[in-house]
Amino acid sequence: MSNRNELMNRRNFVAGSLASRTALLGGANAWAQVVPLHCVPPLPPLPGVEFVPATGGPVRIRKSVFELTPAEVTRLKAAYAALRNVYRDDPRSWYNQGLVHCWYCSGALDNLNGMEIHGGWLFLAWHRAYLYFHERILGNLIGDPTFALPYWDWDSCRDDANDMTGRNRFPGEVYGFPNSSSNPLHDLSRAVGPNDRIPPIYVGPAAMKPIMTSASFTEFGGSGNQELPRRTPEVGDAQQMGQIEGGPHGVPHVWTTEPTLDRNKPPMPNMGALASAAFDPVFFAHHANIDRLWDVWAQGAGHANPDNPRWLNQFFLFYDHLQTWTGITISQTTNAETSLSYRYQPPAWPPGPPAPPAAAVAARTAPRFAEAPPLSPPLVELSTGSQPKVLAPRPTTVQVAIPQEAKAKIRTLAAPTSPQKLVLRIDGVELPADRSVVVQVYVNRPDITAPARGAERGYVGSIVIVPSTSSGAGHVHAKVQRNFGFALTPELAASLAAQDNISVTLVPVTGDATKSTEVFRYQRVYLASR
Ligand code: C2O
């Protein structure tokens, strides 16, 4: 029939030929699951059925996990308890749903994997669809069509690292209490304590503002997925990891298992590696927040999701609540409320009078662009060449003079009205398969000698990479490169235009100087505009 059905058939055939139905092997207890040996979900012999939006049902309201009523906490636990009790070979089972995430992130130890949905523009839409089916399955198991996942709004916090009032802490009263396997939301592999805080430098207002005001989807959510993960393209042409994925998204993953954000030694507990992350129920609350932020970004003035048919027509396969192997296209996910029947109740944070109603926020204006316009040739090269550079586990500064012509250009770009922005690019970043990477990036702060925890002048963002596995096996990620771009604020651009030199300081977040020196490999650092 449709081209899409044909594709589903073909994909199914390819995946089916790999499957050998080994997915059901493995440890009997998925409660403290580590990276699975195999993660091919049970694949049916038939092609997927096209997703049809449910009509006429209730709109499910996703609330902050910190605002759930006691009855809603009870309902959440009942739903996960029911899911944990589903017979393991059932495709909807807790274990099989965890496998699906692993399968789509090339992370099992057997190299049998589906397409890679991390590191590019598939990231947001795939996880939205995944959460949708997960939520419907949970609701169905407890017979409650209004059941909705909560979101963990770790970005509801202040920039001050000493402030203890924010939600940049683990939602332990729900997901960690009681702290034992009698709680279906518990995961034995976490390491966070009740007083640990995600450093606001990664998730506070100063960090989130440039991300949430990204002018294009490319910058916010990533660029085209080449579906050729082993390709090593020319620098400047590789896939771009969106800022929401390459920064804040990785932080709760790494932090939940290692609150110092320093996890370089395998084995990594569940949240700390993509292959096992979805075996921790808090994964779904974390990703609901990522999904909410996508929604907020997409409603911002001048923002638009890609209109590229390659993106819109991409489909993913999941088991739905009736065990039907279902193909959903990205175009069916972009309007969560009309197509997927859920919406977010904004967080009641900061405490105080409620925010003005949405209508007052922004009248929709015409989008400027969805995919980013091409990058200009480099204005200032800080570090060139196609050979990878290795950042040792200590802060490293590159400093160069700003050429005269570049200065004039930077001055123009610094005008708040400039349609183009000054961008710091770090290209050809290698994604290590088996270690997390956290690198803070600063402009004109050569004095920074240690990672900051709260808002910091000159900080432009972080690169936070969640490894695919803890062992390096199933290493489709290894040697894969991604590009990163950080739009500089008009103030920072203006201050650069007034100076003769620019420096970029990369601060790897490692606490242990005895670790391997190959902490972070990248190819090129430069300033450009787009
Ligand atoms: Cu599919 Cu947060 O990872």
Side-chain angles (χ1 to χ4, degrees):
M1 201 184 78
S2 71
N3 193 26
R4 198 198 313 161
N5 261 337
E6 200 185 296
L7 278 168
M8 282 184 196
N9 249 321
R10 198 178 321 132
R11 159 97 39 206
N12 190 63
F13 175 76
V14 172
S17 68
L18 293 171
S20 69
R21 302 299 187 273
T22 47
L24 306 175
L25 302 174
N29 186 351
W31 282 59
Q33 190 61 49
V34 288
V35 175
L37 208 50
H38 309 282
C39 65
V40 183
L43 294 167
L46 300 166
V49 166
E50 283 189 46
F51 173 75
V52 181
T55 48
V59 172
R60 301 181 303 283
I61 309 295
R62 294 188 183 170
K63 295 167 62 175
S64 166
V65 63
F66 297 95
E67 296 169 31
L68 296 180
T69 63
E72 286 164 339
V73 173
T74 303
R75 177 173 76 162
L76 182 68
K77 289 185 174 172
Y80 275 90
L83 183 61
R84 302 248 198 201
N85 281 331
V86 170
Y87 176 53
R88 185 177 158 129
D89 292 359
D90 184 310
R92 302 164 307 171
S93 72
W94 168 247
Y95 183 66
N96 279 325
Q97 287 194 51
L99 291 187
V100 167
H101 183 256
C102 166
W103 189 55
Y104 273 106
C105 83
S106 319
L109 304 182
D110 61 2
N111 264 324
L112 302 183
N113 48 270
M115 92 178 86
E116 174 59 67
I117 45 77
H118 298 95
W121 69 355
L122 302 181
F123 170 76
L124 290 169
W126 184 87
H127 287 85
R128 172 169 289 182
Y130 182 47
L131 262 59
Y132 167 83
F133 289 106
H134 183 69
E135 181 175 84
R136 291 292 308 277
I137 289 170
L138 287 165
N140 197 247
L141 288 173
I142 55 167
D144 184 347
T146 68
F147 174 83
L149 292 167
Y151 62 86
W152 171 17
D153 47 327
W154 29 257
D155 57 310
S156 295
C157 66
R158 300 184 210 281
D159 281 325
D160 174 3
N162 297 318
D163 186 87
M164 298 300 270
T165 64
R167 296 171 174 181
N168 52 335
R169 63 178 177 82
F170 192 80
E173 59 274 58
V174 176
Y175 281 85
F177 182 81
N179 194 19
S180 73
S181 56
S182 66
N183 176 3
L185 304 177
H186 181 62
D187 182 277
L188 296 168
S189 73
R190 297 173 193 146
V192 276
N195 296 318
D196 293 323
R197 299 271 152 179
I198 298 178
I201 189 166
Y202 306 109
V203 296
M208 294 308 292
K209 188 174 173 210
I211 298 173
M212 298 308 292
T213 56
S214 302
S216 68
F217 186 88
T218 304
E219 292 154 277
F220 180 76
S223 75
N225 188 316
Q226 309 301 320
E227 281 206 287
L228 290 173
R230 286 179 194 281
R231 200 174 75 136
T232 305
E234 288 300 302
V235 171
D237 185 34
Q239 205 169 308
Q240 181 163 345
M241 197 185 289
Q243 287 191 60
I244 190 82
E245 180 183 2
H249 158 254
V251 174
H253 274 286
V254 178
W255 178 88
T256 296
T257 55
E258 183 53 70
T260 68
L261 285 176
D262 172 25
R263 187 76 198 192
N264 283 335
K265 290 190 195 105
M268 263 157 283
N270 288 343
M271 271 290 272
L274 295 175
S276 55
F279 290 114
D280 183 337
V282 87
F283 171 96
F284 297 92
H286 167 44
H287 268 276
N289 197 45
I290 294 286
D291 189 62
R292 177 182 69 89
L293 292 171
W294 177 21
D295 212 46
V296 171
W297 178 85
Q299 288 174 38
H303 295 169
N305 289 323
D307 53 7
N308 185 328
R310 280 208 308 126
W311 187 75
L312 288 168
N313 297 332
Q314 178 65 54
F315 70 88
F316 312 112
L317 289 155
F318 298 94
Y319 283 101
D320 76 359
H321 58 293
L322 304 174
Q323 308 184 30
T324 308
W325 187 234
T326 305
I328 184 168
T329 60
I330 289 184
S331 61
Q332 291 175 308
T333 69
T334 49
N335 189 324
E337 182 156 351
T338 56
S339 167
L340 306 177
S341 302
Y342 72 85
R343 97 164 88 86
Y344 288 99
Q345 176 175 304
W349 202 96
V361 175
R364 278 309 291 265
T365 52
R368 281 204 295 146
F369 30 68
E371 288 174 71
L375 210 58
S376 74
L379 295 165
V380 183
E381 289 273 14
L382 284 117
S383 179
T384 55
S386 56
Q387 284 315 305
K389 290 157 198 60
V390 179
L391 180 67
R394 69 187 98 84
T396 303
T397 297
V398 223
Q399 175 162 319
V400 298
I402 306 176
Q404 271 318 315
E405 331 77 78
K407 260 194 194 182
K409 187 81 211 278
I410 293 172
R411 202 167 301 120
T412 324
L413 293 165
T417 52
S418 164
Q420 291 194 312
K421 301 284 174 229
L422 189 60
V423 185
L424 176 70
R425 293 276 299 195
I426 302 180
D427 281 4
V429 171
E430 272 182 22
L431 308 187
D434 58 353
R435 284 170 302 153
S436 54
V437 162
V438 183
V439 176
Q440 299 184 350
V441 184
Y442 296 86
V443 168
N444 283 4
R445 287 299 305 273
D447 56 312
I448 293 275
T449 55
R453 296 180 58 81
E456 193 63 50
R457 185 173 49 83
Y459 172 79
V460 298
S462 286
I463 293 176
V464 183
I465 297 168
V466 187
S468 55
T469 72
S470 56
S471 69
H475 45 248
V476 177
H477 263 164
K479 304 283 188 260
V480 171
Q481 297 182 331
R482 291 292 187 271
N483 294 338
F484 291 80
F486 302 96
L488 304 193
T489 59
E491 302 76 55
L492 193 52
S495 86
L496 273 182
Q499 284 163 35
D500 295 331
N501 298 307
I502 172 176
S503 72
V504 169
T505 299
L506 302 177
V507 182
V509 182
T510 59
D512 177 355
T514 63
K515 289 207 178 75
S516 149
T517 52
E518 294 201 1
V519 174
F520 180 68
R521 291 159 73 88
Y522 61 101
Q523 290 192 359
R524 188 178 187 186
V525 181
Y526 57 101
L527 278 183
S529 68
R530 87 172 347 155

